[in-house]
Amino acid sequence: TARFIVLDTQGTGGSDGDEQSDVLTWALTLLLSWYLVYNSTGSIEEQSIAQLSLVTHVAGLMHARDTVAEFFPSFLWLLRDFSLELVSPGGEPITEQQYLDRALQPVDEAMPEAESKNSTRKTLRDCFRHLSCFTMVRPAIDEDILCRLGSADISETRDAFQHQLAALRAKILGECLDKRIGGVKVGGAGLLALTEAFVAAVSGSDGPAASLADAYTDAAKAMAEHAFKDA
């Protein structure tokens, strides 16, 4: 039986937070997760991509000798309340993956802030082992149902939403793999060691500076000690 630990983190840009706390939250989420579901509403626009620039900051925290993509999770961009028709500029149908790939293509260098925009796009393409996209329609048309969506029965939502929800669940369960260190599954002891190492690294007195290799080495040692005690 597969067991999953689901970590629900706060969003970014909240009134009670700041960029530093957002970066630290992202850092811990990315480093501890093996599969990341990023929620946003509507379509992929320049502003929504700009919000992911925090990933660039997180990648910048890592030492140059570390290969970030080796440690970052798979990334699923979940677009809720999506109403666009998925077609190419020529009107041909495209998949959700093609829609995401097009959105993350470099922008024209003549555009304002092109360097920053392209830097975020490049980081997203380079840092994640796998990038995918999933779209979901608005759960209901009736405002009363939307207001009590947390307690409403699933049967009250739109048929299309119910089908997409089932497909999303199947996709995540089918793609979510075990957290691993050097190809070895991370158990409870390893995950605890990783958490302690990463929290210490990103919140240290010298400022956020994590060495992924060192943190994973510490976790591997903890796993070995745990296995030795069991034996």
Side-chain angles (χ1 to χ4, degrees):
T1 301
R3 296 182 180 181
F4 299 89
I5 296 178
V6 180
L7 177 64
D8 182 20
T9 68
Q10 66 182 29
T12 59
S15 58
D16 57 344
D18 53 39
E19 183 173 317
Q20 178 72 357
S21 62
D22 285 345
V23 170
L24 296 182
T25 299
W26 263 97
L28 292 174
T29 302
L30 291 170
L31 295 175
L32 291 174
S33 301
W34 200 245
Y35 195 93
L36 174 68
V37 180
Y38 177 72
N39 277 283
S40 68
T41 56
S43 57
I44 299 178
E45 300 175 344
E46 199 58 53
Q47 182 178 359
S48 58
I49 295 177
Q51 290 176 336
L52 286 170
S53 63
L54 286 175
V55 177
T56 304
H57 294 298
V58 174
L61 297 178
M62 312 311 167
H63 292 177
R65 64 189 175 89
D66 295 324
T67 304
V68 177
E70 181 182 349
F71 305 100
F72 273 24
S74 294
F75 183 99
L76 173 63
W77 195 334
L78 177 60
L79 299 171
R80 297 180 292 108
D81 298 353
F82 189 81
S83 59
L84 292 182
E85 185 179 3
L86 289 176
V87 295
S88 68
E92 297 294 327
I94 59 174
T95 65
E96 293 163 320
Q97 188 63 47
Q98 289 173 320
Y99 174 70
L100 175 63
D101 291 341
R102 292 177 63 89
L104 296 182
Q105 287 299 308
V107 302
D108 191 323
E109 294 183 359
M111 292 181 60
E113 302 179 348
E115 183 177 353
S116 174
K117 294 174 181 177
N118 285 333
S119 176
T120 299
R121 285 169 165 80
K122 185 178 187 303
T123 300
L124 291 173
R125 293 194 305 269
D126 292 347
C127 285
F128 294 102
R129 291 178 296 105
H130 180 63
L131 279 167
S132 60
C133 177
F134 194 92
T135 62
M136 298 186 72
V137 298
R138 193 176 178 87
I141 302 299
D142 191 320
E143 290 295 330
D144 175 65
I145 297 177
L146 292 173
C147 289
R148 55 183 179 82
L149 195 59
S151 59
D153 190 273
I154 188 65
S155 62
E156 297 183 71
T157 61
R158 299 164 66 184
D159 288 343
F161 178 80
Q162 295 179 39
H163 293 316
Q164 290 172 340
L165 186 60
L168 174 63
R169 179 182 176 84
K171 177 180 176 65
I172 293 175
L173 293 178
E175 296 179 353
C176 191
L177 303 175
D178 301 292
K179 182 74 173 178
R180 293 173 179 266
I181 297 177
V184 179
K185 292 182 181 180
V186 177
L191 186 60
L192 175 60
L194 280 178
T195 304
E196 292 176 337
F198 289 146
V199 169
V202 301
S203 60
S205 58
D206 294 332
S211 171
L212 296 180
D214 291 344
Y216 273 73
T217 298
D218 292 342
K221 289 179 180 178
M223 292 169 61
E225 292 173 359
H226 185 74
F228 180 77
K229 290 178 181 178
D230 282 348

